[in-house]
Coordinates of all heavy atoms in Angstrom, one line a residue:
M108 N 67.2 75.4 54.1 CA 68.1 74.9 55.2 C 67.3 74.1 56.3 O 67.9 73.2 56.8 CB 68.8 76.1 55.8 CG 69.7 76.9 54.8 SD 70.7 75.9 53.7 CE 72.0 75.4 54.9
L111 N 66.9 70.8 54.7 CA 68.2 70.0 54.7 C 68.4 69.3 56.0 O 68.8 68.2 56.1 CB 69.3 71.0 54.4 CG 70.7 70.3 54.4 CD1 70.8 69.2 53.4 CD2 71.8 71.4 54.1
L132 N 80.4 65.2 52.7 CA 79.1 65.7 52.3 C 79.2 66.5 51.0 O 80.1 67.3 50.9 CB 78.5 66.6 53.4 CG 77.2 67.3 53.1 CD1 76.1 66.4 53.2 CD2 77.0 68.4 54.2
A133 N 78.4 66.2 50.0 CA 78.4 67.0 48.8 C 77.0 67.4 48.4 O 76.0 66.7 48.7 CB 79.0 66.2 47.6
I134 N 76.9 68.6 47.7 CA 75.5 69.2 47.5 C 75.4 69.6 46.0 O 76.2 70.2 45.4 CB 75.4 70.5 48.3 CG1 75.6 70.2 49.8 CG2 74.0 71.2 48.1 CD1 76.7 71.0 50.4
L148 N 76.7 87.7 54.3 CA 76.0 86.9 53.4 C 74.6 86.5 53.8 O 74.1 85.4 53.6 CB 76.8 85.6 53.1 CG 78.3 85.9 52.7 CD1 79.0 84.6 52.3 CD2 78.4 86.9 51.6
C218 N 73.6 76.3 44.8 CA 74.7 75.3 45.2 C 75.8 76.0 46.0 O 76.4 75.4 46.9 CB 75.1 74.5 44.0 SG 76.0 75.5 42.7
D219 N 76.2 77.1 45.5 CA 77.3 77.8 46.2 C 76.9 78.5 47.5 O 77.7 78.5 48.5 CB 77.9 78.9 45.3 CG 78.6 78.4 44.1 OD1 79.1 77.2 44.1 OD2 78.6 79.1 43.0
M220 N 75.6 78.9 47.6 CA 75.1 79.5 48.8 C 75.1 78.4 49.9 O 75.6 78.7 51.1 CB 73.7 80.1 48.6 CG 73.1 80.7 49.8 SD 74.0 82.2 50.3 CE 72.9 82.8 51.7
V221 N 74.6 77.3 49.6 CA 74.5 76.2 50.6 C 75.9 75.8 51.1 O 76.1 75.7 52.3 CB 73.7 75.0 50.1 CG1 73.7 73.9 51.1 CG2 72.3 75.4 49.8
A222 N 76.8 75.6 50.2 CA 78.1 75.2 50.6 C 78.8 76.2 51.4 O 79.5 75.9 52.4 CB 79.0 74.9 49.3
T223 N 78.6 77.5 51.0 CA 79.2 78.6 51.8 C 78.7 78.7 53.2 O 79.4 78.8 54.2 CB 78.9 79.9 51.1 OG1 79.6 79.9 49.8 CG2 79.4 81.1 51.8
V224 N 77.4 78.5 53.3 CA 76.8 78.6 54.7 C 77.2 77.4 55.5 O 77.6 77.5 56.7 CB 75.2 78.6 54.5 CG1 74.6 78.3 55.9 CG2 74.7 79.9 53.9
L225 N 77.2 76.2 54.9 CA 77.6 75.0 55.7 C 79.1 75.1 56.2 O 79.4 74.5 57.2 CB 77.4 73.7 54.9 CG 75.9 73.4 54.6 CD1 75.9 72.0 53.8 CD2 75.1 73.3 55.8
C226 N 79.9 75.7 55.4 CA 81.3 75.8 55.7 C 81.6 77.0 56.6 O 82.8 77.2 57.1 CB 82.2 75.9 54.5 SG 82.2 74.5 53.4
G227 N 80.6 77.8 57.0 CA 80.8 78.9 57.9 C 81.5 80.1 57.3 O 82.2 80.9 58.0
I228 N 81.5 80.2 56.0 CA 82.2 81.3 55.3 C 81.3 82.6 55.3 O 80.2 82.5 54.9 CB 82.6 80.9 53.8 CG1 83.5 79.7 53.8 CG2 83.2 82.0 53.1 CD1 83.7 79.0 52.5
A229 N 81.9 83.7 55.7 CA 81.2 85.0 55.7 C 81.7 86.0 54.7 O 81.1 87.0 54.5 CB 81.2 85.5 57.1
N230 N 82.9 85.8 54.1 CA 83.6 86.7 53.2 C 83.3 86.2 51.8 O 83.7 85.1 51.4 CB 85.1 86.8 53.5 CG 85.8 87.7 52.7 OD1 85.2 88.3 51.7 ND2 87.1 87.9 52.9
E233 N 86.1 84.6 49.8 CA 86.5 83.2 50.2 C 85.5 82.2 49.8 O 85.7 81.0 50.0 CB 86.7 83.2 51.7 CG 87.8 84.1 52.2 CD 87.9 84.1 53.7 OE1 87.1 83.4 54.4 OE2 88.7 84.9 54.2
A234 N 84.3 82.6 49.3 CA 83.3 81.7 49.0 C 83.6 80.8 47.7 O 84.2 81.3 46.8 CB 82.0 82.4 48.8
P235 N 83.1 79.6 47.7 CA 83.3 78.8 46.5 C 82.3 79.3 45.4 O 81.2 79.7 45.6 CB 82.9 77.4 46.9 CG 81.9 77.6 48.0 CD 82.4 78.8 48.7
R277 N 86.2 81.8 44.9 CA 87.1 80.8 44.4 C 86.4 79.9 43.3 O 85.7 79.0 43.7 CB 87.6 79.9 45.6 CG 88.4 80.7 46.6 CD 88.8 79.8 47.8 NE 87.7 79.3 48.6 CZ 87.3 78.1 48.7 NH1 87.8 77.1 48.0 NH2 86.3 77.8 49.5
Q283 N 87.4 70.0 43.7 CA 88.1 70.8 44.6 C 87.2 71.0 45.9 O 85.9 70.9 45.7 CB 88.4 72.2 44.0 CG 89.3 72.1 42.8 CD 90.6 71.5 43.0 OE1 91.3 72.0 44.0 NE2 91.0 70.6 42.2
L284 N 87.7 71.4 47.0 CA 86.9 71.5 48.2 C 86.4 72.9 48.3 O 87.1 73.9 48.1 CB 87.7 71.2 49.4 CG 88.1 69.7 49.7 CD1 88.8 69.6 51.0 CD2 86.9 68.8 49.5
A285 N 85.1 73.0 48.7 CA 84.5 74.3 49.1 C 85.0 74.7 50.5 O 85.2 75.8 50.9 CB 83.0 74.2 49.1
G286 N 85.2 73.7 51.4 CA 85.6 73.9 52.7 C 85.3 72.6 53.6 O 85.1 71.5 53.0
T287 N 85.1 72.9 54.9 CA 84.7 71.8 55.8 C 83.5 72.2 56.6 O 83.2 73.4 56.8 CB 85.9 71.4 56.7 OG1 86.2 72.5 57.5 CG2 87.1 70.9 55.9
L288 N 82.7 71.2 57.0 CA 81.5 71.5 57.7 C 81.7 72.2 59.1 O 82.5 71.7 59.9 CB 80.7 70.2 58.0 CG 79.4 70.2 58.6 CD1 78.4 71.0 57.7 CD2 78.8 68.8 58.9
S289 N 81.1 73.3 59.3 CA 81.3 74.1 60.5 C 80.7 73.4 61.7 O 79.7 72.7 61.5 CB 80.7 75.5 60.3 OG 79.3 75.4 60.2
P290 N 81.1 73.7 62.9 CA 80.6 73.1 64.1 C 79.1 73.4 64.3 O 78.3 72.5 64.7 CB 81.4 73.7 65.2 CG 82.7 74.1 64.6 CD 82.4 74.5 63.2
G291 N 78.7 74.6 64.0 CA 77.3 75.0 64.1 C 76.3 74.2 63.3 O 75.3 73.7 63.7
W292 N 76.7 74.1 62.0 CA 75.9 73.3 61.1 C 76.0 71.8 61.3 O 75.1 71.0 61.0 CB 76.1 73.7 59.6 CG 75.3 74.9 59.3 CD1 75.7 76.2 59.3 CD2 73.9 74.9 59.0 NE1 74.6 77.0 59.0 CE2 73.5 76.3 58.8 CE3 72.9 73.9 58.9 CZ2 72.2 76.6 58.5 CZ3 71.6 74.3 58.7 CH2 71.3 75.6 58.5
A293 N 77.2 71.4 61.8 CA 77.3 70.0 62.1 C 76.3 69.5 63.1 O 75.7 68.5 63.0 CB 78.7 69.7 62.6
L296 N 72.8 69.4 61.5 CA 72.6 68.3 60.6 C 72.7 66.9 61.3 O 72.3 65.9 60.8 CB 73.6 68.4 59.5 CG 73.5 69.6 58.6 CD1 74.5 69.5 57.4 CD2 72.1 69.8 58.0
A300 N 81.7 67.7 62.7 CA 82.3 68.9 62.2 C 83.6 68.6 61.6 O 84.3 67.6 61.9 CB 82.5 69.9 63.4
G301 N 83.9 69.4 60.5 CA 85.2 69.2 59.9 C 85.3 68.3 58.7 O 86.3 68.2 58.1
I302 N 84.2 67.6 58.4 CA 84.2 66.7 57.2 C 84.2 67.6 55.9 O 83.7 68.7 55.9 CB 83.0 65.8 57.2 CG1 81.7 66.5 57.1 CG2 83.0 64.9 58.4 CD1 80.5 65.6 56.9
P303 N 84.9 67.1 54.9 CA 85.1 67.9 53.6 C 83.8 68.0 52.9 O 82.9 67.1 52.8 CB 86.1 67.1 52.8 CG 86.0 65.7 53.3 CD 85.6 65.8 54.8
I304 N 83.6 69.2 52.2 CA 82.5 69.5 51.3 C 83.1 70.0 50.0 O 83.7 71.1 50.0 CB 81.6 70.6 51.9 CG1 81.0 70.1 53.3 CG2 80.5 70.9 50.9 CD1 80.1 71.2 54.0
P305 N 82.9 69.2 48.9 CA 83.5 69.7 47.6 C 82.6 70.9 47.1 O 81.5 71.1 47.5 CB 83.4 68.5 46.8 CG 82.2 67.7 47.3 CD 82.3 67.9 48.8
V306 N 83.2 71.6 46.1 CA 82.4 72.6 45.4 C 81.2 71.9 44.7 O 81.3 70.9 44.1 CB 83.3 73.3 44.3 CG1 82.5 74.2 43.5 CG2 84.5 74.0 45.0
G307 N 80.1 72.6 44.8 CA 78.8 72.0 44.3 C 78.6 72.1 42.9 O 79.5 72.6 42.1

Side-chain angles (χ1 to χ4, degrees):
M108 301 310 288
L111 175 61
L132 172 73
I134 304 121
L148 309 189
C218 62
D219 293 331
M220 180 69 176
V221 176
T223 296
V224 169
L225 293 182
C226 294
I228 298 169
N230 181 354
E233 298 173 2
R277 297 180 290 115
Q283 305 296 311
L284 291 187
T287 58
L288 184 61
S289 68
W292 274 101
L296 299 181
I302 63 174
I304 300 175
V306 174

